[in-house]
Amino acid sequence: MDWLNKRALVIGAGLSGQAAVRKLQKLGAEVFLTDSKSAEQLAGIEDIRLDTKHLLLGEMPEFAEINPELIVLSPGVSPKLPLVQEGLSRNVTLWSEVELAMHDCPALCVGVTGTNGKTTTTTLIGELAKLTGKPTVVAGNIGVALSGQVNGLGDNSIVVAELSSFQLEFVDKLHVHIGVLLNLTPDHLDRHGTLENYLEAKAQIFKNQTPMDLAILNWDDPRVRELGTKLKSQVIYFSPTTFLQDGISLWHDDIVFAVKEKKTMIPIISRKNLQLRGAHNLENVMASAAAARAFGLSWTEISEGLARFKGVEHRQEVVGSFAGVLFVNDSKGTNTDAATKALQAFDEPLVLIAGGKNKGLDFHEFMKVVRKKVKSLILLGQAAEEMEQAAKDEGVERIIRVSTFEEGVEKAISEAKPGDVVLLSPACTSWDMFKNYEQRGELFKELVRRHYREPIQK
């Protein structure tokens, strides 16, 4: 599409919105940027080259002030916003920032979505993609806006994009050549309303696939498995719990690739050779192996790449062992399913720091796991009262409420004994106390190291 001299409105002036502005400017569009936040609240906004007529901060403009022909929505902006709804009623083209980023990019696109494991899988696929020797970009919901990374890429390049349900709600022409749907558990119901709506948004990743493309799906999730029967693309399933005669699964302790028609079973890697901890990471490894095979790596290259991978920051990241206590930063555990998987990765006694802003989730099932795995539960943030009630309902014995994050970390340290694990896995977003989960995780690491007078590692 030609956006030269067309009027484009970007809603949301964070990193994604700023990258979208720059992309649209390169396409020759007349760009407007709006956000309900003020300039002082928006990092990097001073670098955006827009005059006061086109930079509308502090409040949302009226639709008629701009009459845009394209609206680009940042991930955190609700589509229920009146400005967006009026655009939809007028049949204005509505894109996410990733749609804008990829609409003229000829690179092979690998898209990763799911409730949990997206960042780990995206990062791992990116590391495997680099082994091909091809120019590789890893961006999207992982914390780097896609629009600012893909300029100049050719058809010999690989883009690995983490895609959230928010980014997939308004897929138009976005073509994901290799699409991964890791899992689906209740999340973001405050935005999507129902699990069915949430799945529908996730499934948009496959909307424009052809029979030449590949969908990588979790066999163990009935909803995801059923989705595979409706797709135009080729489908490969993975399962950490069921041996698959067609697909990637476990055979004893080995991850294997089996093809029933050819009566073959190829060992990929022993789970003992993986550095990623926890059964849930088998999903991430299997999906990554399938993607890497699709873009041309040998099984030997894939095995070596998987064995080297240590994980990502803020996802079950080991901060260190101090006074016999292991400290683990899982700040990216922003929902109950992610936090449950983090708990299940450890056999040691756990002191858990949890709480933050709830996303419309019920905590009772999570607290059943807490009762079995956690010796001391430290609760903080907006959801603390709701979490405490669920914990009491499920028989959790040691519950401690704190007012600040700093108090929570100190209390966790005092509760822990040699041989214990102090785990930050909040089961909530960070938005009530922090700007993002990264800031929360960084503060956790800093407070732990400061307490034990260890140097802060940057």
Side-chain angles (χ1 to χ4, degrees):
M1 294 184 182
D2 182 10
W3 294 107
L4 183 64
N5 297 323
K6 301 289 179 65
R7 297 165 74 88
L9 171 63
V10 178
I11 306 179
L15 295 178
S16 292
Q18 293 172 30
V21 168
R22 295 186 181 98
K23 175 85 173 181
L24 287 164
Q25 288 174 329
K26 288 180 180 177
L27 295 175
E30 182 184 3
V31 187
F32 297 80
L33 175 62
T34 186
D35 198 299
S36 58
K37 294 179 180 178
S38 66
E40 292 74 22
Q41 295 173 294
L42 294 164
I45 196 69
E46 63 276 2
D47 298 326
I48 294 295
R49 296 180 180 178
L50 288 173
D51 57 33
T52 53
K53 172 188 172 184
H54 292 83
L55 184 60
L56 308 165
L57 302 179
E59 59 182 356
M60 292 288 163
E62 295 294 327
F63 186 91
E65 293 179 47
I66 300 170
N67 284 319
E69 296 160 274
L70 169 68
I71 295 175
V72 177
L73 208 59
S74 295
V77 177
S78 171
K80 296 178 182 178
L81 199 70
L83 192 58
V84 178
Q85 289 298 307
E86 184 162 359
L88 288 172
S89 70
R90 294 170 180 260
N91 295 318
V92 173
T93 300
L94 180 63
W95 281 358
S96 68
E97 179 267 331
V98 295
E99 178 86 41
L100 171 66
M102 295 303 298
H103 91 282
D104 60 350
C105 179
L108 175 76
C109 182
V110 183
V112 180
T113 195
T115 305
N116 297 305
K118 295 188 296 296
T119 298
T120 297
T121 304
T122 301
T123 305
L124 177 50
I125 293 174
E127 291 302 304
L128 294 171
K130 293 171 186 176
L131 298 179
T132 65
K134 297 178 180 180
T136 298
V137 165
V138 180
N141 193 57
I142 200 167
V144 181
L146 202 59
S147 292
Q149 304 298 311
V150 299
N151 294 325
L153 292 182
D155 57 10
N156 195 42
S157 304
I158 299 174
V159 171
V160 186
E162 178 182 322
L163 300 173
S164 71
S165 58
F166 296 175
Q167 292 169 310
L168 291 167
E169 276 182 299
F170 298 102
V171 166
D172 183 16
K173 298 293 193 298
L174 177 66
H175 184 190
V176 175
H177 302 92
I178 301 171
V180 179
L181 178 49
L182 290 166
N183 44 57
L184 190 86
T185 57
D187 199 12
H188 299 300
L189 299 187
D190 52 344
R191 173 147 166 174
H192 297 296
T194 66
L195 190 60
E196 288 70 26
N197 291 342
Y198 181 44
L199 173 59
E200 186 178 343
K202 292 288 191 186
Q204 289 282 88
I205 194 172
F206 307 113
K207 177 181 177 180
N208 295 311
Q209 286 197 319
T210 72
M212 299 295 291
D213 299 320
L214 179 65
I216 301 169
L217 304 176
N218 189 337
W219 176 267
D220 296 341
D221 190 312
R223 292 182 181 86
V224 176
R225 185 196 315 162
E226 173 65 19
L227 178 64
T229 65
K230 304 173 184 177
L231 302 180
K232 293 176 287 186
S233 52
Q234 302 171 54
V235 175
I236 184 169
Y237 290 102
F238 62 88
S239 171
T241 64
T242 304
F243 174 70
L244 302 179
Q245 293 184 330
D246 276 301
I248 296 182
S249 59
L250 275 181
W251 179 257
H252 300 295
D253 273 339
D254 288 336
I255 296 175
V256 299
F257 172 63
V259 182
K260 183 178 180 180
E261 184 180 350
K262 296 182 179 180
K263 297 181 180 179
T264 59
M265 187 175 74
I266 301 169
I268 302 172
I269 190 172
S270 170
R271 65 187 301 178
K272 296 176 183 177
N273 294 334
L274 296 172
Q275 297 189 57
L276 293 178
R277 186 167 178 170
H280 64 284
N281 271 316
L282 292 175
E283 292 183 358
N284 306 330
V285 168
M286 290 175 177
S288 299
R293 185 62 175 166
F295 54 63
L297 288 184
S298 69
W299 289 120
T300 299
E301 291 170 319
I302 292 169
S303 176
E304 292 172 351
L306 295 175
R308 284 195 296 267
F309 187 68
K310 295 181 179 179
V312 298
E313 198 173 17
H314 308 298
R315 170 59 82 198
Q316 292 181 33
E317 175 193 6
V318 173
V319 180
S321 185
F322 306 106
V325 177
L326 181 67
F327 290 84
V328 178
N329 166 31
D330 192 53
S331 183
K332 203 175 187 304
T334 59
N335 59 61
T336 53
D337 188 59
T340 296
K341 289 176 177 177
L343 294 179
Q344 292 171 338
F346 297 94
D347 295 322
E348 300 91 336
L350 290 168
V351 177
L352 175 65
I353 303 173
K357 186 178 185 294
N358 189 12
K359 295 187 283 187
L361 306 180
D362 182 86
F363 293 109
H364 283 80
E365 289 300 315
F366 174 60
M367 290 303 170
K368 291 178 182 178
V369 181
V370 170
R371 184 189 67 225
K372 296 175 182 177
K373 303 284 291 187
V374 173
K375 60 178 270 186
S376 299
L377 174 62
I378 316 293
L379 294 176
L380 46 79
Q382 285 183 8
E385 183 175 352
E386 183 181 359
M387 296 182 86
E388 181 179 19
Q389 186 58 56
K392 289 178 178 178
D393 291 345
E394 299 303 332
V396 177
E397 293 184 0
R398 182 70 172 155
I399 306 168
I400 302 167
R401 286 274 297 272
V402 296
S403 301
T404 67
F405 191 81
E406 291 81 356
E407 183 187 355
V409 174
E410 282 301 317
K411 191 63 181 175
I413 291 171
S414 69
E415 289 284 305
K417 308 299 181 189
D420 291 353
V421 174
V422 171
L423 173 66
L424 168 66
S425 193
C428 295
T429 72
S430 59
W431 302 328
D432 58 337
M433 304 173 78
F434 302 93
K435 66 179 182 180
N436 51 41
Y437 71 82
E438 293 98 335
Q439 187 185 52
R440 177 170 62 189
E442 290 299 332
L443 180 58
F444 175 68
K445 293 189 287 186
E446 179 181 341
L447 292 170
V448 170
R449 290 172 179 146
R450 186 190 301 165
H451 179 92
Y452 291 102
R453 290 182 167 80
E454 288 290 319
I456 306 302
Q457 299 173 1
K458 296 293 186 182

